[in-house]
Amino acid sequence: MGLIALRKRAEIRPCLESRARDIANKSCPDPIELQRLVAELQLLLANDLTDANALLHQPEALFKAAYGAKYNQLERQIDGFDYQNALATLKSL
């Protein structure tokens, strides 16, 4: 397992551990749903499709909970139709 994968696992671990306790609390992203949305968003960005804008804002709370302050950078890039940089940002998260 690479260093990036370990870092991502460490970042999401607190949410996974508390998931059973606060399943009704949406502050912790569902990792399976997040993975599905990220894959879809990457596909849209890679193909310069404006549906990326709607997808980012549809489950906005999920992305914000998962990425925190980095979400703001991603949002600015997508809202500005800077899809190639948004794709790079998303891949770096």
Side-chain angles (χ1 to χ4, degrees):
M1 184 175 298
L3 183 59
I4 294 173
L6 286 173
R7 187 187 73 180
K8 286 182 182 179
R9 179 178 280 180
E11 289 172 355
I12 203 164
R13 174 170 241 124
C15 284
L16 294 175
E17 290 172 350
S18 67
R19 189 82 177 139
R21 282 181 278 134
D22 61 1
I23 197 75
N25 182 353
K26 298 298 183 186
S27 66
C28 290
D30 176 354
I32 295 170
E33 179 67 5
L34 180 62
Q35 184 178 21
R36 183 190 69 75
L37 290 169
V38 167
E40 188 176 349
L41 187 57
Q42 284 179 342
L43 181 65
L44 294 171
L45 292 170
N47 290 290
D48 292 324
L49 297 173
T50 58
D51 290 342
N53 296 65
L55 180 62
L56 179 71
H57 293 291
Q58 198 173 44
E60 187 171 20
L62 180 71
F63 284 117
K64 281 184 177 180
Y67 300 126
K70 289 283 190 177
Y71 171 81
N72 295 329
Q73 178 184 359
L74 182 64
E75 180 182 39
R76 278 192 308 275
Q77 290 168 330
I78 290 177
D79 286 347
F81 302 97
D82 185 4
Y83 294 152
Q84 293 310 306
N85 283 326
L87 181 58
T89 297
L90 188 60
K91 287 181 177 182
S92 75
L93 298 175

